[in-house]
Amino acid sequence: MNIIFLGPPGAGKGTQAQRVCDELKIPQISTGDILRRAIKEETPVGLKAKAYVESGKLVPDEILVEIIKDRLAQDDCKPGYILDGFPRTVPQAEALEKIAKIDVVVEIAVADEALVKRLSGRRVCLNCGATYHVSTLGGKTTCDKCGEELIQRKDDNPETVQNRLNVYHSQTAPLISFYQERGLLKTFDGMQDIDVVYQSIMDALRKAE
Ligand code: AP5
Ligand code: MG
Ligand code: ZN
């Protein structure tokens, strides 16, 4: 199954996508993770993307469409995949329609007030992409999955989070009606507990299979 995860920054796209991908044994394609890795490694894409990502602006569509085209052409995508963080604009969604057939769009809905709190306490592993929150880490500073040091993302400060929310509402939220019109949208209440959200997403995906 080819799945898109859609939702505001901090909605839980990465958290849920990782679990669903482990369960369905399909790759999680997070454009944010791909860009952060490219920035860390100072690749040509990374150098172009750095200022956008760190200030919470969207990286230009052409760059993202190229990344996705290359990634979806790889063999591990054949059984299906989850796109986490792509598409983020209507032109990206239109470009995707030309290269892939999407089966379902999972929208995770969360109120803006909760997002700021979630993102300010988030810690991530740049090595494997695992995501944590300080409230459940109990003081631990390394990744449970791979042992790497956890970091706070540069774009998780309150001012940049506000920029990202504005960008989401103006540029990404129009995708909700875009996919509703195509009969692909399923909306989940992302304000619930992580396990509860996971169960409802899995139930819906199993029915859609
Ligand atoms: P990206 O990395 O995609 O960031 P984002 O969309 O802002 O989303 P986040 O990763 O911040 O949130 P998430 O929904 O994954 O939440 P998470 O699971 O971590 O993009 C970063 C940047 O890259 C963009 O700003 C842009 O510059 C660029 N970019 C990427 N894709 C692009 C594209 N297609 N086009 C152009 N530019 C692009 O959870 C957040 C926290 O909440 C965690 O601490 C977690 O533990 C906690 N949490 C999760 N679920 C729950 C719950 N149910 N209850 C309580 N806490 C929870
Ligand atoms: Mg994420
Ligand atoms: Zn890790």
Side-chain angles (χ1 to χ4, degrees), residues 131-146:
T131 300
Y132 304 88
H133 195 272
V134 284
S135 60
T136 55
L137 273 170
K140 268 190 73 173
T141 60
T142 52
C143 178
D144 275 344
K145 296 207 161 182
C146 74

Side-chain angles (χ1 to χ4, degrees), residues 122-180:
R122 172 166 63 180
R123 295 295 179 272
V124 296
C125 172
L126 281 188
N127 184 47
C128 75
T131 300
Y132 304 88
H133 195 272
V134 284
S135 60
T136 55
L137 273 170
K140 268 190 73 173
T141 60
T142 52
C143 178
D144 275 344
K145 296 207 161 182
C146 74
E148 277 290 305
E149 202 63 31
L150 299 176
I151 61 129
Q152 179 162 30
R153 273 171 46 175
K154 282 214 173 101
D155 59 348
D156 277 350
N157 64 73
E159 194 185 323
T160 312
V161 166
Q162 195 51 57
N163 288 343
R164 286 160 62 203
L165 284 174
N166 296 343
V167 165
Y168 175 78
H169 289 299
S170 63
Q171 299 191 60
T172 307
L175 293 180
I176 296 171
S177 54
F178 182 96
Y179 285 116
Q180 213 158 26

Side-chain angles (χ1 to χ4, degrees), residues 44-61:
V45 164
L47 294 174
K48 276 188 220 153
K50 187 172 163 61
Y52 295 99
V53 173
E54 289 179 359
S55 63
K57 292 195 189 109
L58 292 183
V59 176
D61 290 336

